[in-house]
Amino acid sequence: MPSSPSDSRPLVELRAVTKSYAEGDSVREVLSGTSLALHRGEFVVLLGRSGSGKSTLLNLISGIDQATHGEILVEGRDLGRMPERDRTLLRRERIGFIFQAFNLLPTLTVEENVRLPLELLGRSSAEASARARELLERVGLGARANSFPDRLSGGEQQRVAVARALAHAPPLLLADEPTGNLDEETGGQVLDLLEGLTRQGHACALIVTHEPAMAERADRVLTMENGRLVERPGGARGRGTP
Ligand SMILES: Nc1ncnc2c1ncn2[C@@H]1O[C@H](COP(=O)(O)OP(=O)(O)OP(=O)(O)O)[C@@H](O)[C@H]1O
Ligand SMILES: [Mg+2]
């Protein structure tokens, strides 16, 4: 894969990030000084027990939520110093987010949900439609383009959420348990798609999962433990995948 000068700069950088939530009179610290650098071309898995702060970390990186202390940079831009509007634009243009709860819009059809990121970026209707159809085919839902999300099973909704997150080919893909509702075979196909598009597009994917087996295909494996990230190489590194 050709590398450009911008590759040396991390796509995402966390510097001593803490995140606390106030609960009644007490304060709960979820992240306690987390540092991390993610680069384009990396397929990264994030493990950790329930409640350890995985979704919190994704929300911070996407700018949906803000850190209590520390800095988070995406493509060199400090999220904490950006106005809300710029964070929204950055998220729309540069990030694809597969939410743990899917967050599909119930009043839009499956195809309209997948077209939405492209339409928000001002792409033509023809382009948005062609891309949405292509991705829906790839997640096995070509025949359901005109259905509404509430007519779909949990796993089908999850696959729509995957297609939507990939629609604008973002350099950064954040996925919160993207295969949590899928059987092994369908989950494997979704992972193939995520990994394939990440590697083809020289993007970076950070994928939360409870399945340790996913570490086999990752370049890096991060585990959230007591508010900090512990890292080890993934199986793909050992096989020499770039
Ligand atoms: N808005 C909030 N207010 C208060 N506490 C919160 C808030 N959001 C998250 N938390 C707390 O932060 C901790 C981490 O939550 P988070 O959702 O990041 O966990 P997780 O690792 O994604 O867990 P799971 O695997 O169950 O999805 C939890 O103890 C949760 O109760
Ligand atoms: Mg979570």
Side-chain angles (χ1 to χ4, degrees), residues 21-23 28 30 49-56 100 177 210:
Y21 291 110
E23 231 177 19
R28 181 200 304 254
V30 180
R49 58 178 179 71
S50 177
S52 60
K54 304 179 298 297
S55 296
T56 300
Q100 196 164 9
E177 297 188 45
H210 283 287

Side-chain angles (χ1 to χ4, degrees), residues 102 144 149-159 181-182:
F102 317 146
R144 305 304 297 275
D150 67 354
R151 295 299 155 102
L152 270 51
S153 73
E156 289 168 338
Q157 292 183 41
Q158 188 156 41
R159 284 181 279 152
N181 287 274
L182 303 178

Side-chain angles (χ1 to χ4, degrees), residues 104 109-115 128-147 152 156-167 189-190 193 197:
L104 299 176
T109 66
V110 162
E111 182 179 326
E112 288 164 349
N113 266 281
V114 179
R115 289 167 58 123
S129 202
R131 177 73 174 161
R133 293 271 170 179
E134 177 203 332
L135 283 166
L136 288 171
E137 286 294 337
R138 291 183 75 165
V139 296
L141 290 173
R144 305 304 297 275
N146 297 318
S147 301
L152 270 51
E156 289 168 338
Q157 292 183 41
Q158 188 156 41
R159 284 181 279 152
V160 178
V162 168
R164 181 181 59 181
L166 297 170
Q189 289 165 357
V190 163
L193 179 66
L197 291 183

Side-chain angles (χ1 to χ4, degrees), residues 66-80:
Q66 284 194 275
T68 307
H69 294 291
E71 292 174 340
I72 301 173
L73 292 86
V74 176
E75 295 184 322
R77 300 170 70 194
D78 184 344
L79 298 183

